[in-house]
Amino acid sequence: MTSPSSLAFLVVAGGRGTRAGAGAPKQYRAVLGKPLLARTLEALHAGAPSALLQVVIHADDGAAFAAGAAELSEAARKHLAAPAFGGASRQESVRNGLEALARLETPPKLVLIHDAARPFADPALIERAIEAARDFGAAAPGVPISDTIKEIDAAGRVVATPERSRLRGVQTPQAFAFELILDAHRKAAGGKIDFTDDAMVAEEAGLPVHIFAGDPKNFKLTTPEDFMRAEQQLLAALPDVRTGQGYDVHAFADGDHVWLGGVAVPHGQGLAGHSDADVLAHAVTDALLGAIAEGDIGAHFPPSDPQWKGAASAIFLRHAAELVKARGGMIAHVDATIVCEAPKIGPHRDAIRASLAKIMGIEEGRVAVKATTTEKLGFTGRREGMAALALATVRLPL
Ligand code: MG
Protein backbone atom coordinates (compact mmCIF):
# COMPACT_ATOMS: atom_id res chain seq x y z
CA MET A 1 0.00 0.00 0.00
CA THR A 2 1.08 3.54 -0.69
CA SER A 3 2.25 5.21 2.51
CA PRO A 4 -0.01 7.95 3.94
CA SER A 5 1.76 11.08 2.82
CA SER A 6 2.80 9.75 -0.56
CA LEU A 7 -0.54 10.16 -2.33
CA ALA A 8 -2.44 13.36 -3.11
CA PHE A 9 -5.67 13.99 -4.95
CA LEU A 10 -5.64 17.12 -7.07
CA VAL A 11 -9.23 18.17 -7.70
CA VAL A 12 -9.88 20.69 -10.45
CA ALA A 13 -12.79 22.92 -9.41
CA GLY A 14 -11.87 26.24 -11.01
CA GLY A 15 -14.34 26.12 -13.91
CA ARG A 16 -17.18 28.60 -14.33
CA GLY A 17 -19.42 25.89 -15.85
CA THR A 18 -22.97 27.16 -15.77
CA ARG A 19 -24.43 24.81 -18.38
CA ALA A 20 -25.96 22.93 -15.45
CA GLY A 21 -28.17 26.00 -14.85
CA ALA A 22 -29.02 27.68 -11.53
CA GLY A 23 -26.35 30.36 -11.62
CA ALA A 24 -23.54 29.14 -9.38
CA PRO A 25 -20.65 27.17 -10.88
CA LYS A 26 -21.83 23.58 -11.09
CA GLN A 27 -19.25 22.16 -8.68
CA TYR A 28 -20.93 24.07 -5.84
CA ARG A 29 -24.49 23.12 -6.80
CA ALA A 30 -26.28 20.76 -4.47
CA VAL A 31 -26.75 17.13 -5.37
CA LEU A 32 -29.33 15.68 -2.97
CA GLY A 33 -28.68 18.54 -0.57
CA LYS A 34 -24.87 18.41 -0.58
CA PRO A 35 -22.55 20.47 -2.80
CA LEU A 36 -21.20 18.45 -5.72
CA LEU A 37 -17.59 19.25 -4.75
CA ALA A 38 -18.17 17.95 -1.20
CA ARG A 39 -19.62 14.71 -2.59
CA THR A 40 -16.62 14.28 -4.88
CA LEU A 41 -14.15 14.92 -2.07
CA GLU A 42 -15.97 12.45 0.22
CA ALA A 43 -15.81 9.81 -2.52
CA LEU A 44 -12.07 10.32 -3.00
CA HIS A 45 -11.47 10.31 0.74
CA ALA A 46 -13.39 7.03 1.07
CA GLY A 47 -11.16 5.47 -1.60
CA ALA A 48 -7.85 6.54 -0.01
CA PRO A 49 -8.51 7.85 3.51
CA SER A 50 -4.95 8.97 4.20
CA ALA A 51 -4.40 10.91 0.97
CA LEU A 52 -4.16 14.70 0.90
CA LEU A 53 -7.04 16.51 -0.80
CA GLN A 54 -5.77 19.50 -2.79
CA VAL A 55 -8.46 21.49 -4.56
CA VAL A 56 -7.89 24.17 -7.21
CA ILE A 57 -10.63 26.81 -7.11
CA HIS A 58 -11.48 30.04 -8.90
CA ALA A 59 -10.36 33.14 -7.00
CA ASP A 60 -14.04 34.25 -6.72
CA ASP A 61 -15.16 30.99 -5.10
CA GLY A 62 -13.48 31.17 -1.69
CA ALA A 63 -16.79 31.45 0.18
CA ALA A 64 -18.46 28.66 -1.81
CA PHE A 65 -15.43 26.46 -1.23
CA ALA A 66 -15.52 27.12 2.51
CA ALA A 67 -19.24 26.32 2.62
CA GLY A 68 -18.61 23.05 0.74
CA ALA A 69 -15.70 22.15 3.01
CA ALA A 70 -17.95 22.65 6.04
CA GLU A 71 -20.15 19.82 4.72
CA LEU A 72 -17.32 17.31 4.73
CA SER A 73 -16.98 14.71 7.43
CA GLU A 74 -14.44 15.62 10.07
CA ALA A 75 -12.16 12.81 8.87
CA ALA A 76 -12.13 14.12 5.29
CA ARG A 77 -11.71 17.74 6.40
CA LYS A 78 -8.53 16.79 8.23
CA HIS A 79 -6.94 15.89 4.90
CA LEU A 80 -8.15 18.96 3.02
CA ALA A 81 -5.34 21.38 2.13
CA ALA A 82 -5.85 25.12 1.72
CA PRO A 83 -7.11 25.61 -1.86
CA ALA A 84 -4.84 26.59 -4.72
CA PHE A 85 -6.13 29.14 -7.21
CA GLY A 86 -6.87 28.32 -10.83
CA GLY A 87 -5.56 29.93 -13.97
CA ALA A 88 -7.08 30.93 -17.29
CA SER A 89 -7.40 27.34 -18.53
CA ARG A 90 -7.84 23.88 -17.04
CA GLN A 91 -4.23 23.16 -17.88
CA GLU A 92 -3.00 26.21 -16.00
CA SER A 93 -5.23 25.36 -13.03
CA VAL A 94 -3.77 21.87 -12.78
CA ARG A 95 -0.27 23.33 -13.05
CA ASN A 96 -1.02 25.70 -10.15
CA GLY A 97 -2.29 22.78 -8.08
CA LEU A 98 0.81 20.72 -8.85
CA GLU A 99 3.04 23.64 -7.90
CA ALA A 100 1.18 23.95 -4.58
CA LEU A 101 1.89 20.27 -3.92
CA ALA A 102 5.53 20.76 -4.95
CA ARG A 103 5.87 23.45 -2.26
CA LEU A 104 4.87 20.99 0.50
CA GLU A 105 7.57 19.94 2.89
CA THR A 106 7.14 16.40 1.57
CA PRO A 107 5.59 16.46 -1.89
CA PRO A 108 3.53 13.37 -2.75
CA LYS A 109 5.02 10.50 -4.75
CA LEU A 110 1.78 9.86 -6.63
CA VAL A 111 -0.95 12.26 -7.66
CA LEU A 112 -4.47 11.45 -8.86
CA ILE A 113 -5.91 14.38 -10.84
CA HIS A 114 -9.70 14.43 -10.74
CA ASP A 115 -12.65 16.49 -12.02
CA ALA A 116 -14.71 18.11 -9.27
CA ALA A 117 -17.82 17.13 -11.24
CA ARG A 118 -17.27 13.36 -10.96
CA PRO A 119 -18.70 12.35 -7.56
CA PHE A 120 -18.92 8.62 -8.37
CA ALA A 121 -15.26 7.57 -8.26
CA ASP A 122 -15.59 4.48 -6.08
CA PRO A 123 -12.85 2.83 -3.97
CA ALA A 124 -12.25 0.08 -6.56
CA LEU A 125 -11.59 2.66 -9.30
CA ILE A 126 -9.30 4.65 -7.01
CA GLU A 127 -7.39 1.50 -6.13
CA ARG A 128 -6.92 0.73 -9.86
CA ALA A 129 -5.72 4.32 -10.38
CA ILE A 130 -3.16 4.09 -7.55
CA GLU A 131 -1.85 0.78 -8.91
CA ALA A 132 -1.62 2.16 -12.44
CA ALA A 133 0.25 5.26 -11.25
CA ARG A 134 2.71 3.07 -9.40
CA ASP A 135 3.13 0.57 -12.25
CA PHE A 136 3.18 2.92 -15.26
CA GLY A 137 3.88 6.46 -14.02
CA ALA A 138 1.15 7.90 -16.24
CA ALA A 139 -2.30 6.38 -16.62
CA ALA A 140 -5.94 7.27 -17.21
CA PRO A 141 -9.20 5.38 -16.73
CA GLY A 142 -11.01 4.54 -19.98
CA VAL A 143 -14.35 3.00 -20.83
CA PRO A 144 -15.26 1.25 -24.09
CA ILE A 145 -17.29 3.36 -26.52
CA SER A 146 -20.71 2.09 -27.56
CA ASP A 147 -21.32 4.69 -30.30
CA THR A 148 -19.42 4.53 -33.57
CA ILE A 149 -17.09 7.54 -33.68
CA LYS A 150 -16.61 9.60 -36.88
CA GLU A 151 -13.91 12.11 -37.50
CA ILE A 152 -15.27 14.99 -39.59
CA ASP A 153 -13.84 17.99 -41.46
CA ALA A 154 -14.92 21.62 -41.24
CA ALA A 155 -17.72 20.97 -43.75
CA GLY A 156 -19.12 18.16 -41.63
CA ARG A 157 -17.92 15.42 -43.99
CA VAL A 158 -16.66 12.19 -42.53
CA VAL A 159 -12.96 11.80 -43.05
CA ALA A 160 -12.36 8.72 -40.90
CA THR A 161 -14.11 6.05 -38.87
CA PRO A 162 -11.67 4.79 -36.25
CA GLU A 163 -12.06 1.19 -35.21
CA ARG A 164 -14.34 1.30 -32.20
CA SER A 165 -12.72 -1.55 -30.30
CA ARG A 166 -9.54 0.51 -30.12
CA LEU A 167 -11.25 3.62 -28.73
CA ARG A 168 -11.78 4.54 -25.09
CA GLY A 169 -13.71 7.33 -23.47
CA VAL A 170 -11.30 8.78 -20.95
CA GLN A 171 -12.32 9.80 -17.42
CA THR A 172 -10.59 10.90 -14.25
CA PRO A 173 -8.90 10.29 -11.82
CA GLN A 174 -5.87 10.32 -14.08
CA ALA A 175 -2.95 8.85 -12.22
CA PHE A 176 0.68 9.89 -12.26
CA ALA A 177 4.04 9.71 -10.60
CA PHE A 178 4.13 13.22 -9.15
CA GLU A 179 7.55 14.30 -10.47
CA LEU A 180 6.74 13.04 -13.98
CA ILE A 181 3.52 14.99 -14.38
CA LEU A 182 4.92 18.08 -12.65
CA ASP A 183 7.79 18.08 -15.17
CA ALA A 184 5.44 17.50 -18.08
CA HIS A 185 3.21 20.40 -16.99
CA ARG A 186 6.19 22.71 -16.51
CA LYS A 187 7.35 21.87 -20.06
CA ALA A 188 3.88 22.41 -21.49
CA ALA A 189 3.37 25.75 -19.71
CA GLY A 190 3.41 28.67 -22.10
CA GLY A 191 2.87 26.38 -25.08
CA LYS A 192 0.25 27.07 -27.75
CA ILE A 193 -1.94 24.05 -27.21
CA ASP A 194 -4.56 24.11 -24.47
CA PHE A 195 -4.54 20.56 -23.18
CA THR A 196 -7.94 19.37 -22.04
CA ASP A 197 -6.68 16.52 -19.91
CA ASP A 198 -3.48 15.59 -18.14
CA ALA A 199 -2.89 12.43 -20.14
CA MET A 200 -2.42 14.77 -23.16
CA VAL A 201 0.16 16.77 -21.22
CA ALA A 202 2.02 13.54 -20.47
CA GLU A 203 1.72 12.37 -24.09
CA GLU A 204 3.10 15.69 -25.31
CA ALA A 205 6.08 15.21 -22.99
CA GLY A 206 6.71 11.86 -24.66
CA LEU A 207 5.56 9.74 -21.71
CA PRO A 208 3.78 6.47 -22.45
CA VAL A 209 0.27 6.71 -20.97
CA HIS A 210 -1.49 3.53 -19.94
CA ILE A 211 -5.27 3.10 -19.97
CA PHE A 212 -6.82 1.16 -17.08
CA ALA A 213 -10.45 0.16 -16.62
CA GLY A 214 -12.71 3.15 -15.90
CA ASP A 215 -16.28 2.90 -14.66
CA PRO A 216 -19.43 3.92 -16.57
CA LYS A 217 -20.97 5.06 -13.25
CA ASN A 218 -18.12 7.58 -12.86
CA PHE A 219 -19.68 10.08 -15.22
CA LYS A 220 -19.11 13.82 -15.30
CA LEU A 221 -22.01 16.10 -14.36
CA THR A 222 -22.50 18.86 -16.90
CA THR A 223 -26.17 19.39 -17.78
CA PRO A 224 -29.28 19.63 -15.58
CA GLU A 225 -30.13 16.10 -16.79
CA ASP A 226 -26.77 14.90 -15.44
CA PHE A 227 -27.66 16.31 -12.02
CA MET A 228 -30.96 14.41 -12.08
CA ARG A 229 -29.18 11.22 -13.12
CA ALA A 230 -26.68 11.71 -10.29
CA GLU A 231 -29.47 12.07 -7.73
CA GLN A 232 -31.18 8.97 -9.09
CA GLN A 233 -27.89 7.07 -8.91
CA LEU A 234 -27.37 8.18 -5.28
CA LEU A 235 -30.91 7.20 -4.28
CA ALA A 236 -30.61 3.86 -6.09
CA ALA A 237 -27.61 3.09 -3.87
CA LEU A 238 -29.85 3.56 -0.77
CA PRO A 239 -32.70 1.12 -1.42
CA ASP A 240 -33.38 0.05 2.19
CA VAL A 241 -36.11 2.50 3.21
CA ARG A 242 -37.04 2.51 6.90
CA THR A 243 -39.40 4.47 9.08
CA GLY A 244 -39.05 5.20 12.79
CA GLN A 245 -41.44 6.85 15.21
CA GLY A 246 -40.81 8.92 18.30
CA TYR A 247 -43.05 10.24 21.06
CA ASP A 248 -42.25 12.44 24.03
CA VAL A 249 -43.97 14.37 26.81
CA HIS A 250 -42.75 17.02 29.23
CA ALA A 251 -44.68 18.73 32.01
CA PHE A 252 -44.88 22.50 32.28
CA ALA A 253 -42.90 24.14 35.07
CA ASP A 254 -41.78 27.63 35.99
CA GLY A 255 -40.06 29.54 33.24
CA ASP A 256 -40.52 32.00 30.43
CA HIS A 257 -39.80 29.89 27.32
CA VAL A 258 -39.95 26.35 25.97
CA TRP A 259 -37.32 24.79 23.71
CA LEU A 260 -38.79 23.33 20.52
CA GLY A 261 -36.48 21.84 17.92
CA GLY A 262 -33.60 23.96 19.17
CA VAL A 263 -35.61 27.22 19.17
CA ALA A 264 -36.48 29.08 22.37
CA VAL A 265 -40.19 29.90 22.07
CA PRO A 266 -41.39 32.55 24.58
CA HIS A 267 -44.13 31.25 26.89
CA GLY A 268 -45.46 31.95 30.36
CA GLN A 269 -44.01 28.61 31.52
CA GLY A 270 -41.07 26.37 30.76
CA LEU A 271 -40.89 22.59 30.48
CA ALA A 272 -39.47 20.39 33.20
CA GLY A 273 -36.79 17.84 32.36
CA HIS A 274 -33.28 16.67 32.98
CA SER A 275 -31.93 18.24 29.78
CA ASP A 276 -33.40 21.40 28.24
CA ALA A 277 -36.71 19.44 27.93
CA ASP A 278 -36.95 20.03 24.16
CA VAL A 279 -39.91 17.75 23.67
CA LEU A 280 -39.82 18.06 19.88
CA ALA A 281 -36.10 17.36 19.53
CA HIS A 282 -36.52 14.32 21.77
CA ALA A 283 -39.35 12.90 19.66
CA VAL A 284 -37.38 13.44 16.43
CA THR A 285 -34.26 11.90 17.97
CA ASP A 286 -36.22 8.79 18.93
CA ALA A 287 -37.76 8.60 15.45
CA LEU A 288 -34.28 8.59 13.88
CA LEU A 289 -32.99 6.02 16.37
CA GLY A 290 -36.07 3.92 15.69
CA ALA A 291 -35.51 4.02 11.94
CA ILE A 292 -32.04 2.52 12.34
CA ALA A 293 -33.06 0.26 15.25
CA GLU A 294 -30.49 1.81 17.57
CA GLY A 295 -32.40 1.88 20.84
CA ASP A 296 -33.83 5.11 22.24
CA ILE A 297 -32.65 8.47 23.49
CA GLY A 298 -32.48 7.25 27.10
CA ALA A 299 -30.13 4.43 26.12
CA HIS A 300 -27.73 6.84 24.39
CA PHE A 301 -28.04 9.69 26.90
CA PRO A 302 -29.16 8.27 30.27
CA PRO A 303 -31.04 10.83 32.42
CA SER A 304 -29.05 9.37 35.34
CA ASP A 305 -25.85 10.77 33.80
CA PRO A 306 -25.15 14.22 35.29
CA GLN A 307 -23.35 15.39 32.13
CA TRP A 308 -26.73 15.71 30.34
CA LYS A 309 -28.23 17.96 33.05
CA GLY A 310 -29.52 21.03 31.27
CA ALA A 311 -27.90 19.84 28.03
CA ALA A 312 -29.03 21.32 24.71
CA SER A 313 -31.05 18.58 23.05
CA ALA A 314 -29.48 19.50 19.72
CA ILE A 315 -26.60 17.31 20.91
CA PHE A 316 -28.90 14.28 21.08
CA LEU A 317 -30.49 14.97 17.70
CA ARG A 318 -27.17 15.60 15.99
CA HIS A 319 -25.85 12.34 17.39
CA ALA A 320 -28.80 10.39 15.99
CA ALA A 321 -28.36 12.04 12.58
CA GLU A 322 -24.67 11.16 12.65
CA LEU A 323 -25.50 7.53 13.38
CA VAL A 324 -27.59 7.47 10.18
CA LYS A 325 -24.70 9.04 8.28
CA ALA A 326 -22.22 6.58 9.76
CA ARG A 327 -24.33 3.79 8.29
CA GLY A 328 -23.89 5.41 4.86
CA GLY A 329 -27.54 6.43 4.93
CA MET A 330 -29.55 9.60 4.46
CA ILE A 331 -32.50 11.13 6.27
CA ALA A 332 -35.16 11.29 3.59
CA HIS A 333 -37.89 12.96 5.63
CA VAL A 334 -38.95 13.95 9.12
CA ASP A 335 -42.55 14.78 9.99
CA ALA A 336 -43.32 16.01 13.47
CA THR A 337 -46.44 17.13 15.35
CA ILE A 338 -46.41 19.27 18.48
CA VAL A 339 -49.43 18.85 20.76
CA CYS A 340 -50.36 21.73 23.07
CA GLU A 341 -52.94 24.44 23.73
CA ALA A 342 -50.19 27.05 24.01
CA PRO A 343 -47.80 28.51 23.00
CA LYS A 344 -48.94 29.12 19.42
CA ILE A 345 -46.53 27.28 17.12
CA GLY A 346 -47.47 28.92 13.79
CA PRO A 347 -45.34 32.06 14.19
CA HIS A 348 -42.30 29.90 15.05
CA ARG A 349 -42.84 27.04 12.63
CA ASP A 350 -40.35 28.19 9.97
CA ALA A 351 -37.64 28.88 12.52
CA ILE A 352 -38.20 25.47 14.11
CA ARG A 353 -38.06 23.69 10.74
CA ALA A 354 -34.86 25.52 9.81
CA SER A 355 -33.32 24.67 13.15
CA LEU A 356 -34.20 20.97 12.99
CA ALA A 357 -32.90 20.75 9.41
CA LYS A 358 -29.65 22.45 10.37
CA ILE A 359 -29.07 20.20 13.38
CA MET A 360 -29.66 17.08 11.27
CA GLY A 361 -27.64 18.45 8.34
CA ILE A 362 -30.46 18.08 5.81
CA GLU A 363 -32.50 20.37 3.57
CA GLU A 364 -35.45 22.21 5.09
CA GLY A 365 -37.68 20.71 2.43
CA ARG A 366 -37.20 17.34 4.12
CA VAL A 367 -38.59 18.53 7.46
CA ALA A 368 -42.24 19.11 8.32
CA VAL A 369 -43.45 20.62 11.60
CA LYS A 370 -47.13 20.65 12.46
CA ALA A 371 -49.07 21.55 15.57
CA THR A 372 -52.42 20.70 17.03
CA THR A 373 -54.41 21.16 20.20
CA THR A 374 -56.46 18.40 21.82
CA GLU A 375 -59.57 20.55 22.15
CA LYS A 376 -58.87 21.09 25.87
CA LEU A 377 -59.02 17.30 26.44
CA GLY A 378 -56.43 15.30 28.33
CA PHE A 379 -53.21 16.51 29.95
CA THR A 380 -52.26 18.71 27.00
CA GLY A 381 -55.80 20.12 26.97
CA ARG A 382 -55.53 20.95 30.65
CA ARG A 383 -52.21 22.71 29.87
CA GLU A 384 -50.28 20.41 32.17
CA GLY A 385 -47.61 19.74 29.59
CA MET A 386 -46.68 19.32 25.93
CA ALA A 387 -46.34 16.25 23.75
CA ALA A 388 -44.59 15.71 20.41
CA LEU A 389 -44.79 12.93 17.84
CA ALA A 390 -42.39 12.35 15.00
CA LEU A 391 -41.86 10.04 12.07
CA ALA A 392 -38.50 9.73 10.36
CA THR A 393 -37.85 8.04 7.05
CA VAL A 394 -34.27 7.07 6.36
CA ARG A 395 -32.64 5.37 3.38
CA LEU A 396 -29.77 2.95 3.95
CA PRO A 397 -27.46 1.03 1.65
CA LEU A 398 -27.96 -2.75 1.56
MG1 MG B 1 -37.93 13.98 26.70
Side-chain angles (χ1 to χ4, degrees):
M1 211 36 230
T2 308
S3 77
S5 59
S6 65
L7 175 69
F9 289 108
L10 178 55
V11 178
V12 197
R16 312 317 291 148
T18 48
R19 266 183 294 170
K26 66 177 180 181
Q27 57 272 30
Y28 300 108
R29 268 195 61 192
V31 179
L32 273 190
K34 196 181 222 186
L36 175 55
L37 175 63
R39 288 200 177 273
T40 299
L41 291 172
E42 287 287 3
L44 297 178
H45 177 70
S50 55
L52 183 74
L53 298 164
Q54 174 68 61
V55 184
V56 185
I57 67 170
H58 191 278
D60 294 346
D61 292 345
F65 174 78
E71 305 249 349
L72 292 177
S73 68
E74 214 181 299
R77 214 163 39 228
K78 270 188 201 144
H79 291 87
L80 184 65
F85 293 106
S89 64
R90 184 188 185 283
Q91 182 192 337
E92 210 179 312
S93 294
V94 172
R95 163 89 194 276
N96 291 353
L98 290 170
E99 294 292 355
L101 291 172
R103 285 191 295 271
L104 294 174
E105 199 176 316
T106 316
K109 293 205 165 43
L110 305 179
V111 62
L112 268 49
I113 304 176
H114 191 58
D115 298 327
R118 289 187 196 267
F120 294 109
D122 71 10
L125 174 67
I126 290 164
E127 189 54 42
R128 291 198 293 280
I130 294 170
E131 264 171 42
R134 208 185 293 134
D135 293 349
F136 304 105
V143 289
I145 306 283
S146 53
D147 293 326
T148 294
I149 304 290
K150 302 285 184 190
E151 187 182 344
I152 57 171
D153 65 13
R157 272 185 311 245
V158 173
V159 296
T161 304
E163 191 190 325
R164 194 169 62 184
S165 65
R166 290 164 59 94
L167 294 175
R168 291 293 179 272
V170 169
Q171 308 178 326
T172 69
Q174 298 192 354
F176 303 95
F178 178 70
E179 291 295 339
L180 283 186
I181 195 66
L182 176 65
D183 258 16
H185 262 279
R186 282 176 176 171
K187 280 182 196 148
K192 284 199 180 66
I193 312 165
D194 187 21
F195 297 102
T196 52
D197 80 344
D198 303 288
M200 273 179 84
V201 176
E203 290 158 40
E204 184 66 15
L207 298 168
V209 178
H210 185 86
I211 297 291
F212 59 94
D215 181 351
K217 286 195 303 297
N218 174 41
F219 71 99
K220 186 173 179 176
L221 279 64
T222 303
T223 63
E225 291 72 28
D226 293 334
F227 276 76
M228 270 174 64
R229 180 182 161 200
E231 296 195 329
Q232 281 161 0
Q233 204 162 294
L234 285 166
L235 288 174
L238 302 171
D240 188 359
V241 178
R242 300 179 179 202
T243 303
Q245 63 147 327
Y247 174 67
D248 196 34
V249 170
H250 281 267
F252 281 123
D254 287 345
D256 58 9
H257 66 278
V258 295
W259 284 100
L260 292 173
V263 175
V265 174
H267 186 54
Q269 291 176 293
L271 289 171
H274 187 69
S275 63
D276 63 4
D278 188 330
V279 66
L280 176 61
H282 293 179
V284 175
T285 301
D286 260 354
L288 288 178
L289 293 174
I292 55 172
E294 288 267 9
D296 59 21
I297 191 169
H300 289 265
F301 303 97
S304 54
D305 187 336
Q307 70 167 308
W308 308 124
K309 188 166 167 48
S313 297
I315 297 169
F316 311 152
L317 182 54
R318 193 172 298 118
H319 177 73
E322 269 161 19
L323 288 177
V324 176
K325 230 188 256 173
R327 295 270 290 266
M330 71 170 278
I331 301 166
H333 188 237
V334 165
D335 180 23
T337 303
I338 301 164
V339 187
C340 62
E341 299 294 326
K344 282 225 173 310
I345 304 303
H348 306 284
R349 184 203 310 270
D350 289 345
I352 293 170
R353 276 183 77 202
S355 170
L356 285 173
K358 185 161 186 236
I359 294 165
M360 291 184 282
I362 62 175
E363 304 151 276
E364 269 177 61
R366 296 183 181 278
V367 181
V369 173
K370 314 190 302 300
T372 186
T373 70
T374 48
E375 300 289 344
K376 303 198 169 74
L377 298 171
F379 70 87
T380 51
R382 292 189 298 272
R383 298 174 182 245
E384 292 166 8
M386 292 179 71
L389 304 98
L391 285 175
T393 306
V394 307
R395 300 182 66 118
L396 299 174
L398 282 179

